[in-house]
Amino acid sequence: MLVLAATPLGDARDASVRLREAIATADVVAAEDTRRFRALAAALDVPVRGTVLSHYDAVETARLPGLLDDVRAGRTVLVVTDAGMPAVSDPGYRLVAAAAAEDLPITCLPGPSAVTTALVLSGLPCDRFCFEGFAPRKTGDRARWLAQLLHEPRAVVFFESPHRLGDTLRTAVEVLGPERAAAVCRELTKTYEEVRRGPLAELAEWAAGEVRGEITVVLAGAAPTAAPPVESLVPAVQERVAEGERLKDAVAAVAKAAGVGKRELYNATLQSS
């Protein structure tokens, strides 16, 4: 069986009983960093009897055939990353996809995740959220990425390097506005855990200084905007119809883009004819 297991973000005491059992019994352990894995096993006082292989981004594809062979042969392959859940901006996704394509047995041992931990600590509404992985490295790409989040109604979670955090937050101020609420979560579950909450402008000013550690950022969802009056959308519908589009299709497209009801817009269009 292929087993993906969440590992502690920083405090070894967060390790589950099932993770301890998996480490002790796995035939093969595919670890993002073998040294960190062995350090975790030692901290948990769990013996490792299986073969330990490196399984980081650069070798993930090359490791696939051998790991799949192990699962086919009836061995238990345990996949772990440095911290948190495999495949969430970490190695694991390609192996799961390949194993699933062959209908090989796969399971997951749930546990710590920086994404959900940051969400609940942010103090922001998080009943709906999206995860964006790591923020783009280049300035232009980062600005375009943030522009796509301008009207995102859900909370947004992403990872960032401490060295780029200041630049990212300054760009966020320019694109999303200085008052957009956010939280920067640093070193989650570790000795120097810190959560900074406030408007983007305030956080960008703080991040201009030296910031260290693992960083997870949470952005508040965009405030809902009022829908425009239905009557103001009629010309857009009429223009699309004049270009050959069916009235029903034109109404549906314009109503969806503006966030208004199709029936209201349809009736308003008929009344204006």
Side-chain angles (χ1 to χ4, degrees):
M1 177 176 286
L2 177 63
V3 181
L4 288 89
T7 54
L9 301 178
D11 192 327
R13 293 172 298 177
D14 291 333
S16 69
V17 173
R18 294 179 68 195
L19 174 61
R20 294 169 185 266
E21 293 173 349
I23 291 173
T25 59
D27 299 300
V28 179
V29 178
E32 183 178 13
D33 186 315
T34 57
R35 289 171 297 182
R36 290 194 181 187
F37 167 71
R38 291 191 183 280
L40 174 62
L44 299 176
D45 195 25
V46 176
V48 180
R49 71 174 183 84
T51 302
V52 179
L53 302 173
S54 59
H55 189 245
Y56 53 95
D57 288 335
V59 302
E60 185 178 8
T61 301
R63 292 286 192 211
L64 275 177
L67 294 174
L68 292 173
D69 283 343
D70 284 325
V71 179
R72 293 188 198 101
R75 302 185 187 95
T76 296
V77 175
L78 175 65
V79 180
V80 294
T81 55
D82 289 350
M85 184 64 72
V88 180
S89 284
D90 274 328
Y93 143 73
R94 292 180 179 84
L95 182 56
V96 173
E102 295 189 29
D103 202 24
L104 296 174
I106 310 168
T107 193
C108 177
L109 309 186
S113 167
V115 176
T116 51
T117 303
L119 274 168
V120 298
L121 286 175
S122 71
L124 299 170
C126 58
D127 51 325
R128 297 176 65 229
F129 71 92
C130 60
F131 174 58
E132 288 285 320
F134 278 90
R137 291 171 176 264
K138 296 182 179 179
T139 303
D141 293 340
R142 194 160 54 230
R144 286 187 287 274
W145 166 69
L146 285 166
Q148 294 175 352
L149 302 177
L150 181 60
H151 301 294
E152 173 56 63
R154 298 168 294 180
V156 179
V157 188
F158 65 91
F159 298 149
E160 184 54 290
S161 158
H163 309 297
R164 292 191 297 271
L165 178 64
D167 289 339
T168 295
L169 291 179
R170 282 192 292 275
T171 306
V173 169
E174 296 171 2
V175 177
L176 304 179
E179 297 303 318
R180 184 82 162 251
V184 177
C185 305
R186 187 179 72 85
E187 293 290 87
L188 290 171
T189 78
K190 300 176 185 177
T191 302
Y192 298 104
E193 175 178 288
E194 180 181 20
V195 180
R196 290 269 181 166
R197 307 173 183 87
L200 281 173
E202 182 181 305
L203 294 174
E205 183 178 352
W206 163 75
E210 185 178 19
V211 180
R212 296 181 179 180
E214 300 284 338
I215 304 291
T216 305
V217 180
V218 184
L219 296 173
T225 56
V230 172
E231 293 75 13
S232 68
L233 301 173
V234 171
V237 174
Q238 293 172 332
E239 182 177 347
R240 296 177 75 118
V241 171
E243 293 175 352
E245 193 169 354
R246 291 195 313 162
L247 176 59
K248 183 178 180 181
D249 295 336
V251 166
V254 173
K256 182 178 180 181
V260 301
K262 290 188 291 185
R263 178 171 293 181
E264 287 181 88
L265 181 55
Y266 184 84
N267 291 336
T269 302
L270 291 179
Q271 289 172 10
S272 67
S273 300

